Amino acid sequence: MSGLLSALLLRRSGWRVDVYERASAALIGRGAGIMTHPELRSALSDLGLDTTRDFGVPIEGRLALDAAGRIVGRKPMPQIATSWNHLFAMLMGALGHAHYHLGKDLLRVSQGEDGVTAHFADGTSHTADLLIGADGFRSAVRAQYLPEAQPRYAGYVAWRGLADERVVKPVLTQEVFERLSFSLPPGEQFLGYPVAGPGNDLRIGHRSWNVVWYRPAEAAHEVQRLLTDDTGRVHEVSIPPPLVAKSVVEEMRSAAARLLPPQFRAALHLIVEPFLQPIYDLESPRMAFGRVALAGDAAFVVRPHVAAGVIKGVQDAATLVAALDEHCTIDTGLRTYEARRLAMGRRYVAQARRLGSYLKYSFESEEERAKAAFHARPEQVLTETAVLDFLQTP
Ligand SMILES: Cc1cc2nc3c(=O)[nH]c(=O)nc-3n(C[C@H](O)[C@H](O)[C@H](O)COP(=O)(O)OP(=O)(O)OC[C@H]3O[C@@H](n4cnc5c(N)ncnc54)[C@H](O)[C@@H]3O)c2cc1C
């Protein structure tokens, strides 16, 4: 997302841009849902993208269910749930394929007075005036310039998955399906909401139900166990969705039987391939290195509770291009970009860390636990995760 957004904005500002993607086949987001803020839609509209039609599923508000499945909290809060696939298709449609190169795994960057060169694993390289490392939370660009800046495990994992509307409808009421519906087992958080079905299908009956279940997991052994596939191979940092071990999925389903309201428990059983992601925080102390900039998750990884990953990428791209337009050298433009975005990145990380503070596996003190418990109350969860008072796009 951040790479495509940066490319589109730079191109609009007169740059010739090429995007290099490591994956050798077209990317797909496994239908993952992306909750949006109005600021994201207006930023995409500024780019000339149409967000008025087929952008996503409108959600009127939020619900909290207790363990018995009774609705114990309601909050009107309109939001649109779009999907990773839809956003990606919109951005790719605008960029076109001529300057998008698959199968280009960046190994390292070298730079001098006249330019910056990207060196790829296939032995090729490309030299340009400017390089943007928008290569996600395990960024090779960041690893080269800031080897000490590492993602920090937050103390919990997110189980995710999708079920077809027709399949889950018999076990969920219309109201629960169509809202952002939460359940809050002690120290955990489950949420479900409707998203477009395959092929961005927004018709009633053809949508999907998107689930995220945050569960504490001890760092040293438990996470390693969760990331071990059926062949015994331990995956570092994250595991590809199809490889999550069957026994780990079964365990999750039996925890659901103990902890979740009957509707969610039944719906979770209908999700064919649930997958899990450990949750991390990452803060980079710098974002500009001569002719090289970091953007998006390569620079700051924000826990999902504020649903801000994509808007943060948009803001990074917009700020970067504005700073380059204002300055006559790339170096000063990038330093201005860094000065404007570092503090913002820290604010996002801090806010999301606060909201997720009660989900972690262990606490330093009873005081810390009590402070975190404030954010576990249904009335907090129903409002806090949608409110970012610092979201205005630059
Ligand atoms: C459970 C969960 C729920 C979320 N929900 C939301 C939400 O509701 N709303 C929201 O806005 N955000 C959400 N996010 C966050 C959002 O998905 C990310 O913030 C966003 O995708 C980051 O975009 P990015 O382009 O910066 O990085 P990425 O999406 O990680 O993209 C990086 C790209 O770089 C490529 N790459 C990596 N290394 C190399 C290399 N060496 N050479 C070449 N290419 C490379 C990768 O293949 C990838 O295509 C959620 C995240 C999680 C985990």
Side-chain angles (χ1 to χ4, degrees):
M1 297 292 171
S2 305
L4 299 182
L5 287 159
S6 303
L8 287 170
L9 282 164
L10 280 168
R11 201 166 68 178
R12 199 176 63 173
S13 183
W15 293 73
R16 283 207 314 269
V17 191
D18 283 275
V19 178
Y20 295 90
E21 165 58 49
R22 175 173 58 190
S24 49
L27 296 173
I28 48 160
R30 306 188 63 78
I34 297 282
M35 287 302 286
T36 66
H37 301 269
E39 289 81 357
L40 177 61
R41 286 182 76 190
S42 50
L44 295 173
S45 303
D46 287 349
L47 262 172
L49 300 173
D50 183 6
T51 60
T52 56
R53 281 184 308 122
D54 300 343
F55 185 58
V57 180
I59 295 178
E60 284 170 25
R62 300 173 164 212
L63 298 177
L65 273 64
D66 69 9
R70 291 174 299 230
I71 294 175
V72 291
R74 277 195 176 85
K75 186 95 197 163
M77 193 170 291
Q79 267 185 297
I80 294 184
T82 185
S83 67
W84 192 95
N85 283 339
H86 183 58
L87 280 177
F88 185 74
M90 277 176 95
L91 299 177
M92 274 309 295
L95 185 75
H97 288 267
H99 294 276
Y100 181 77
H101 312 276
L102 286 170
K104 293 288 178 184
D105 184 3
L106 181 97
L107 290 185
R108 66 183 179 88
V109 175
S110 57
Q111 56 175 316
E113 281 192 7
D114 295 333
V116 52
T117 303
H119 303 269
F120 300 104
D122 62 3
T124 60
S125 61
H126 183 86
T127 300
D129 294 316
L130 164 70
L131 182 140
I132 299 170
D135 49 347
F137 92 125
R138 285 198 269 179
S139 164
V141 179
R142 188 187 68 240
Q144 177 174 334
Y145 288 98
L146 297 171
E148 71 287 0
Q150 296 287 339
R152 273 206 357 239
Y153 174 58
Y156 54 101
V157 301
W159 276 98
R160 302 181 74 178
L162 281 174
D164 290 346
E165 178 171 4
R166 286 194 181 147
V167 174
V168 283
K169 266 291 179 59
V171 300
L172 297 176
T173 62
Q174 184 82 6
E175 188 182 18
V176 168
F177 178 85
E178 293 201 330
R179 301 289 192 280
L180 183 57
S181 298
F182 289 89
S183 150
L184 302 168
E188 308 199 6
Q189 183 183 121
F190 177 98
L191 60 141
Y193 56 92
V195 292
N200 198 40
D201 201 334
L202 296 169
R203 289 173 301 161
I204 291 172
H206 297 262
R207 300 168 294 180
S208 298
W209 198 56
N210 183 71
V211 161
V212 186
W213 185 10
Y214 298 106
R215 311 206 64 206
E218 181 261 334
H221 302 102
E222 181 60 3
V223 173
Q224 199 183 53
R225 194 177 66 78
L226 295 174
L227 299 182
T228 304
D229 66 26
D230 279 329
T231 69
R233 178 170 163 219
V234 182
H235 296 259
E236 260 186 63
V237 186
S238 63
I239 179 165
L243 299 187
V244 179
K246 288 185 191 62
S247 56
V248 168
V249 173
E250 277 321 304
E251 247 172 52
M252 179 275 290
R253 292 198 206 276
S254 45
R258 290 195 312 277
L259 298 168
L260 296 180
Q263 317 74 321
F264 291 165
R265 184 191 312 163
L268 206 52
H269 264 89
L270 299 169
I271 289 176
V272 180
E273 195 180 69
F275 61 100
L276 77 118
Q277 287 173 280
I279 301 296
Y280 296 93
D281 294 315
L282 170 87
E283 293 180 65
S284 291
R286 292 177 57 197
M287 296 171 82
F289 316 88
R291 291 176 176 274
V292 176
L294 291 177
D297 278 17
F300 287 89
V301 175
V302 178
R303 299 184 194 182
H305 314 298
V306 290
V310 179
I311 183 71
K312 181 169 66 62
V314 175
Q315 293 177 331
D316 281 351
T319 309
L320 181 98
V321 175
L324 288 167
D325 283 347
E326 284 164 30
H327 292 274
C328 48
T329 71
I330 287 174
D331 183 56
T332 49
L334 292 193
R335 273 190 278 133
T336 300
Y337 160 68
E338 175 182 85
R340 290 179 185 163
R341 293 304 295 166
L342 271 183
M344 198 57 150
R346 290 189 199 114
R347 285 184 79 174
Y348 275 117
V349 172
Q351 174 69 356
R353 187 184 283 147
R354 246 191 312 278
L355 302 193
S357 56
Y358 74 93
L359 298 164
K360 68 187 224 183
Y361 181 76
S362 62
F363 295 85
E364 306 273 309
S365 63
E366 271 315 306
E367 191 190 345
E368 187 198 356
R369 186 192 294 275
K371 212 166 148 191
F374 176 79
H375 299 286
R377 299 179 316 153
E379 57 274 32
Q380 290 305 120
V381 173
L382 288 188
T383 50
E384 277 186 326
T385 54
V387 180
L388 283 177
D389 55 5
F390 52 88
L391 244 182
Q392 309 80 16
T393 30

